[in-house]
């Protein structure tokens, strides 16, 4: 009888531990999901009154480690050129190795445009002591690699021509288990229209899009 009592107590304690472990696991899973996944769409809180692309760049995390890297905005206007380093990483003492600043032409650089003034962004990396300039959006996608945050997701979408708008149909997002779902704007010039685009971006950088329809037409829709 004593032996049976001991066995019963052992089984009871073991079951209790397993139940506690299961409860703890469920709590962890619940916390993970609540932190990383949102059912409702949230407004992307970046102002279009300033160049939001420059603000987004401050959250970039490159896909690999470089000896040094810098993300720069370049502006040319009224015979004046300006270079501003928006983000950088690695050994900043290697920055002096970048002796000549690239002078992007009117058809190179990341997110380039403007007339008569011209602006663009570009990236310079240093590996094995040698500087290399990334000037195309394809190179920029490889530089981003894994999509680490919302800002990188918006920047990746921009390389495909999808941008922020003031209308909620063009500036919303929600977190997914393995990435982000964005509602951004695709701008059409002829005729002038704004189209809402659903963009699903995985952590690996894969992009899937679907049109949600035109929500603005005519001259009132100018960027």
């Amino acid at each position: 009888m004593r032996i049976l009592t001991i066995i019963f107590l052992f089984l009871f304690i073991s079951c209790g531990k397993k139940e506690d472990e299961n409860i703890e696991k469920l709590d962890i899973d619940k916390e993970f999901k609540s932190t990383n996944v949102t059912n409702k769409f949230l407004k992307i809180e970046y102002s279009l009154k300033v160049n939001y692309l420059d603000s987004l760049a401050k959250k970039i995390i490159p896909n690999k480690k470089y000896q040094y890297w810098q993300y720069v905005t370049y502006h040319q206007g009224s015979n004046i050129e300006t270079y501003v380093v928006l983000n950088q990483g690695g050994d900043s003492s290697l920055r002096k190795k970048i002796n000549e600043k690239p002078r992007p032409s009117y058809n190179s650089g990341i997110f380039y445009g403007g007339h008569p003034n011209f602006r663009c962004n570009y990236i310079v990396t240093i590996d094995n002591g040698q500087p290399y300039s990334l000037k195309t959006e394809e190179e920029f996608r490889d530089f981003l690699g894994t999509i680490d945050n919302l800002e990188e997701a918006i920047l990746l979408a921009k390389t495909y021509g999808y941008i922020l708008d003031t209308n909620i149909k063009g500036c919303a997002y929600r977190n997914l288990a393995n990435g982000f779902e964005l509602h951004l704007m695709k701008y059409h010039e002829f005729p002038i229209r704004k189209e809402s685009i659903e963009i699903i971006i995985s952590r690996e950088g894969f992009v899937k899009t679907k049109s949600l329809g035109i929500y603005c037409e005519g001259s009132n829709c100018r960027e």
Side-chain angles (χ1 to χ4, degrees), residues 52-113:
Y52 70 91
L53 295 174
D54 289 354
S55 299
L56 295 173
K58 297 174 182 179
K59 296 294 183 71
I60 287 177
I61 303 173
N63 195 39
K64 57 170 279 189
K65 287 188 176 181
Y66 295 92
Q67 285 183 296
Y68 173 74
W69 64 272
Q70 62 177 214
Y71 184 101
V72 183
T73 183
Y74 165 85
H75 181 262
Q76 182 187 62
S78 302
N79 299 319
I80 297 175
E81 291 182 314
T82 59
Y83 302 82
V84 179
V85 176
L86 300 172
N87 197 355
Q88 62 182 334
D91 184 357
S92 59
S93 68
L94 294 174
R95 183 171 173 174
K96 60 187 177 182
K97 284 185 171 288
I98 307 173
N99 296 320
E100 293 186 11
K101 297 182 183 295
R103 296 177 178 273
S105 65
Y106 281 83
N107 59 357
S108 67
I110 304 166
F111 312 141
Y112 63 86

Side-chain angles (χ1 to χ4, degrees), residues 4-155:
L4 290 174
T5 301
I6 293 172
I7 292 173
F8 175 78
L9 288 172
F10 176 79
L11 291 174
F12 177 79
I13 292 170
S14 298
C15 290
K17 286 183 177 180
K18 288 181 179 178
E19 185 177 353
D20 290 342
E21 289 173 358
N22 288 335
I23 291 173
E24 183 177 358
K25 184 175 185 300
L26 287 172
D27 287 342
I28 292 173
D29 288 345
K30 183 178 180 182
E31 181 180 355
F32 174 81
K33 289 178 181 178
S34 64
T35 302
N36 293 277
V37 179
T38 52
N39 293 322
K40 293 183 179 180
F41 280 89
L42 304 173
K43 187 177 185 296
I44 297 174
E45 297 292 348
Y46 277 90
S47 173
L48 272 66
K49 293 180 180 179
V50 295
N51 193 314
Y52 70 91
L53 295 174
D54 289 354
S55 299
L56 295 173
K58 297 174 182 179
K59 296 294 183 71
I60 287 177
I61 303 173
N63 195 39
K64 57 170 279 189
K65 287 188 176 181
Y66 295 92
Q67 285 183 296
Y68 173 74
W69 64 272
Q70 62 177 214
Y71 184 101
V72 183
T73 183
Y74 165 85
H75 181 262
Q76 182 187 62
S78 302
N79 299 319
I80 297 175
E81 291 182 314
T82 59
Y83 302 82
V84 179
V85 176
L86 300 172
N87 197 355
Q88 62 182 334
D91 184 357
S92 59
S93 68
L94 294 174
R95 183 171 173 174
K96 60 187 177 182
K97 284 185 171 288
I98 307 173
N99 296 320
E100 293 186 11
K101 297 182 183 295
R103 296 177 178 273
S105 65
Y106 281 83
N107 59 357
S108 67
I110 304 166
F111 312 141
Y112 63 86
H115 182 76
N117 296 337
F118 173 74
R119 72 171 312 279
C120 75
N121 295 347
Y122 62 88
I123 296 167
V124 180
T125 64
I126 295 180
D127 252 348
N128 299 318
Q130 297 299 315
Y132 177 77
S133 296
L134 285 69
K135 294 184 183 179
T136 69
E137 293 176 348
E138 289 77 13
E139 288 180 314
F140 180 53
R141 293 172 194 149
D142 292 338
F143 179 80
L144 288 178
T146 302
I147 303 304
D148 301 290
N149 49 51
L150 173 64
E151 286 76 9
E152 287 192 349
I154 299 171
L155 286 169

Side-chain angles (χ1 to χ4, degrees), residues 144-176:
L144 288 178
T146 302
I147 303 304
D148 301 290
N149 49 51
L150 173 64
E151 286 76 9
E152 287 192 349
I154 299 171
L155 286 169
L156 181 64
K158 177 64 174 69
T159 68
Y160 293 100
Y162 307 117
I163 59 180
L164 286 182
D165 191 22
T166 54
N167 190 300
I168 191 64
K169 293 182 180 180
C171 64
Y173 81 98
R174 69 186 182 107
N175 295 327
L176 304 177

